[in-house]
């Protein structure tokens, strides 16, 4: 007989925390029962997040899932940070239209360390279980791999969007790419995960974990996907290639200034996905702003919180000071939004096209006079070229524009 556990207030609150900012939580009823069981028995739930150490530098977008882990960790559950040192040998085909090149063992090691150091700024390292999937994947051997592959059909594998697309486009899919989702799912079996989370692109792999756990006679994990974070431009997902990102190793002053450059609308979305403040605190702050408090106050609080997380409270205070000094009075509440194309674009042309200077020669004169700032930093080089991205550009004391250059 299956025991049904009572859904207490504590369980409802834990569910609310789980649901904050999520894209999907599946199946929600199972998760409620897992939470209820954990509360009744005192046994923490096992929550898995896997990362392949492919790219060593992480930006704020990558921390959205880590924040969710942290929230569940703070509820007392066991967080498992899984480093996919084995799966990296294949490379996740999710969202890819070609086979990934494999990394060397040395690169994997270096990247894994960088990842964990960064992740430890969001998670509580003392309560985090760090595992490497080579631990059980190496042991699987050819025999185990064959047994594992027998647990899924080619037809279902091909239903997956990215494989389907590649197949119909006539681009090649190597057999080993089919092994990727199987191995990710097998990790959940090895870890006896109760919940696995990832970005929206991970859904297929996450559901594979459920399927395989069932095949191996285990309780099945729930799956949780988080949305992609929108970048500084307020439009595209945060990414290095769009230059609309905040790297989590960027210095405190830059980080602070970049958060302050976002629009008010984006700010509330970032509050949901990036802040550790409770939903009640955020709602109260929002009510204050709606009641007339300057939205910039709320943005400063967010900028400080984020900067303090990756640096320190003292450096966050100093960054605020620095920002105020440099922008002499700060950025006004309402600033013009300008979209320009032609990146990389010279600063002189940019000032003219953004209507911040009547001509390029006048723009150069302003630069020489020290009156031009980009993201709070005074510009002295007439030859400066700006890459694609979003910048707060200031001329003199009062002229501002938020320029998105593409
Ligand atoms: N596929 C995940 C990604 O590319 C990483 C991962 C690897 C997740 C192994 C889980 C796992 O078990 O982000």
């Amino acid at each position: 007989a299956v025991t049904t556990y009572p859904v207490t207030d504590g369980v409802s609150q834990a569910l609310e925390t789980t649901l904050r900012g999520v894209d999907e939580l599946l199946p929600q009823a199972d998760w409620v029962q897992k939470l209820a069981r954990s509360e009744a028995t005192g046994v923490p739930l096992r929550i898995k997040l896997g990362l392949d150490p492919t790219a060593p530098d992480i930006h704020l977008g990558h921390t959205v899932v880590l924040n969710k882990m942290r929230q569940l960790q703070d509820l007392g559950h066991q967080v498992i940070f899984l480093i996919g040192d084995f799966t990296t040998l294949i490379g996740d085909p999710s969202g890819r239209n070609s086979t990934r090149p494999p990394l060397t063992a040395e690169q994997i090691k270096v990247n894994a360390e960088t990842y964990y150091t960064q992740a430890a700024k969001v998670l509580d390292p003392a309560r985090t279980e760090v595992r490497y999937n080579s631990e059980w994947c190496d042991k699987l051997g050819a025999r185990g791999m064959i047994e594992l592959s027998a647990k899924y059909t080619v037809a279902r594998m091909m239903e997956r969007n990215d494989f389907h697309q590649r197949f119909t486009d006539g681009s090649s899919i190597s057999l080993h790419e089919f092994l990727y989702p199987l191995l990710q799912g097998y990790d959940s079996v090895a870890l006896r995960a109760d919940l696995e989370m990832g970005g929206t692109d991970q859904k297929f792999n996450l559901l594979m974990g459920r399927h395989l756990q069932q095949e191996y006679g285990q309780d099945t994990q729930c799956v949780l996907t988080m949305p992609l974070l929108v970048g500084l431009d307020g439009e595209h997902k945060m990414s290095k290639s769009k230059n609309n990102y905040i790297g989590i190793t960027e210095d405190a002053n830059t980080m602070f200034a970049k958060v302050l450059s976002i629009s008010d609308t984006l700010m509330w979305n970032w509050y949901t996905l990036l802040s550790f403040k409770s939903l009640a605190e955020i709602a109260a702050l929002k009510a204050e702003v709606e009641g007339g408090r300057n939205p910039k106050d709320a943005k400063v609080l967010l900028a400080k919180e984020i900067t303090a997380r990756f640096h320190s409270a003292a450096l966050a205070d100093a960054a605020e000071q620095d920002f105020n000094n440099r922008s002499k009075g700060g950025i006004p509440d309402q600033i013009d939004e300008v979209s320009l194309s032609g990146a990389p674009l010279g600063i002189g042309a940019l000032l003219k096209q953004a209507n911040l200077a009547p001509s390029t020669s006048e723009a150069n004169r302003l630069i020489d006079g020290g009156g031009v700032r980009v993201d709070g930093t005074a510009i002295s080089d007439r030859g400066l070229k700006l890459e694609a991205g979003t910048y707060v550009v200031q001329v003199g004391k009062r002229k501002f524009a938020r320029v998105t250059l593409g």
Side-chain angles (χ1 to χ4, degrees):
V2 184
T3 323
T4 310
Y5 295 94
V7 179
T8 60
D9 282 353
V11 171
S12 306
Q13 272 164 27
L15 176 65
E16 191 183 313
T17 304
T18 314
L19 288 174
R20 167 172 176 177
V22 299
D23 181 58
E24 283 189 286
L25 169 65
L26 297 169
Q28 190 167 314
D30 285 11
W31 180 243
V32 171
Q33 270 308 299
K34 280 178 190 279
L35 288 170
R37 184 189 74 208
S38 171
E39 193 188 68
T41 61
V43 180
L45 298 173
R46 296 178 59 74
I47 298 167
K48 169 194 176 199
L49 171 67
L51 284 133
D52 277 351
T54 41
D57 27 44
I58 312 189
H59 57 60
L60 271 188
H62 299 114
T63 70
V64 167
V65 184
L66 290 170
N67 290 345
K68 179 58 66 189
M69 292 289 266
R70 175 62 194 245
Q71 289 158 6
L72 297 173
Q73 186 170 44
D74 287 343
L75 289 177
H77 298 298
Q78 179 61 57
V79 157
I80 308 159
F81 187 79
L82 177 75
I83 297 173
D85 63 335
F86 192 93
T87 29
T88 302
L89 297 173
I90 305 175
D92 192 347
S94 304
R96 299 283 297 197
N97 48 21
S98 59
T99 312
R100 286 178 191 255
L103 294 181
T104 66
E106 191 48 35
Q107 270 174 312
I108 292 175
K109 190 163 168 279
V110 172
N111 293 354
E113 274 161 20
T114 317
Y115 250 122
Y116 186 64
T117 319
Q118 304 310 324
K121 298 190 173 175
V122 178
L123 301 174
D124 175 355
R127 291 182 290 143
T128 302
E129 184 178 323
V130 182
R131 303 289 283 273
Y132 289 83
N133 60 8
S134 57
E135 187 185 328
W136 46 87
C137 291
D138 276 337
K139 285 197 206 114
L140 207 53
R143 196 175 289 273
M145 203 62 241
I146 288 170
E147 281 164 13
L148 183 59
S149 313
K151 302 205 184 294
Y152 212 69
T153 66
V154 171
R156 286 195 67 191
M157 199 60 95
M158 287 306 296
E159 281 166 9
R160 177 190 167 136
N161 274 344
D162 19 36
F163 286 147
H164 181 82
Q165 193 64 43
R166 279 163 71 179
F167 193 71
T168 40
D169 290 353
S171 53
S172 71
I173 304 170
S174 297
L175 269 182
H176 77 301
E177 295 181 71
F178 280 177
L179 304 183
Y180 190 100
L182 289 170
L183 286 168
Q184 178 163 343
Y186 185 68
D187 289 343
S188 298
V189 174
L191 292 167
R192 294 191 163 269
D194 286 301
L195 176 75
E196 179 170 4
M197 55 179 80
T200 45
D201 61 338
Q202 290 294 312
K203 189 171 170 186
F204 181 91
N205 293 349
L206 304 181
L207 290 171
M208 181 67 87
R210 267 180 82 73
H211 173 79
L212 290 179
Q213 282 174 319
Q214 188 168 29
E215 290 281 328
Y216 284 86
Q218 291 186 5
D219 263 5
T220 51
Q221 68 181 13
C222 295
V223 311
L224 186 157
T225 54
M226 291 301 290
L228 296 166
L229 187 72
V230 172
L232 298 171
D233 54 7
E235 199 181 330
H236 301 103
K237 69 164 193 181
M238 183 173 281
S239 77
K240 231 180 158 179
S241 56
K242 283 262 184 309
N243 199 19
N244 62 355
Y245 71 99
I246 302 184
I248 68 181
T249 53
E250 287 191 79
D251 65 75
N253 290 0
T254 310
M255 201 176 254
F256 184 92
K258 281 190 173 181
V259 178
L260 270 201
S261 79
I262 67 174
S263 72
D264 295 347
T265 325
L266 184 59
M267 166 176 78
W268 295 116
N269 173 259
W270 279 29
Y271 257 114
T272 307
L273 296 175
L274 298 174
S275 171
F276 288 177
K277 285 192 201 308
S278 70
L279 288 173
E281 283 173 279
I282 297 169
L285 191 59
K286 201 167 180 181
E288 280 181 49
V289 170
E290 272 154 13
R293 185 168 174 195
N294 190 339
K296 188 177 159 222
D297 292 351
K299 218 173 285 171
V300 166
L301 288 175
L302 181 66
K304 275 179 131 169
E305 183 189 339
I306 291 174
T307 309
R309 184 172 313 149
F310 297 105
H311 296 279
S312 65
L315 282 174
D317 286 342
E320 182 185 14
Q321 208 45 71
D322 175 82
F323 185 89
N324 290 339
N325 295 344
R326 284 190 296 151
S327 56
K328 297 196 191 101
I331 297 178
D333 307 338
Q334 294 297 323
I335 71 175
D336 289 345
E337 309 267 351
V338 182
S339 276
L340 299 177
S341 56
L345 190 62
I347 180 72
L350 182 142
L351 290 172
K352 177 166 184 298
Q353 289 177 31
N355 277 328
L356 291 165
S359 65
T360 310
S361 56
E362 175 62 11
N364 284 334
R365 206 189 54 74
L366 289 163
I367 293 167
D368 293 344
V372 176
R373 288 171 187 272
V374 174
D375 289 338
T377 305
I379 302 303
S380 55
D381 175 13
R382 289 178 171 200
L384 177 74
K385 280 201 185 314
L386 294 178
E387 299 296 331
T390 299
Y391 308 91
V392 171
V393 184
Q394 177 183 0
V395 172
K397 277 194 178 167
R398 262 176 285 277
K399 277 194 192 166
F400 288 89
R402 181 179 293 111
V403 179
T404 297
L405 184 59

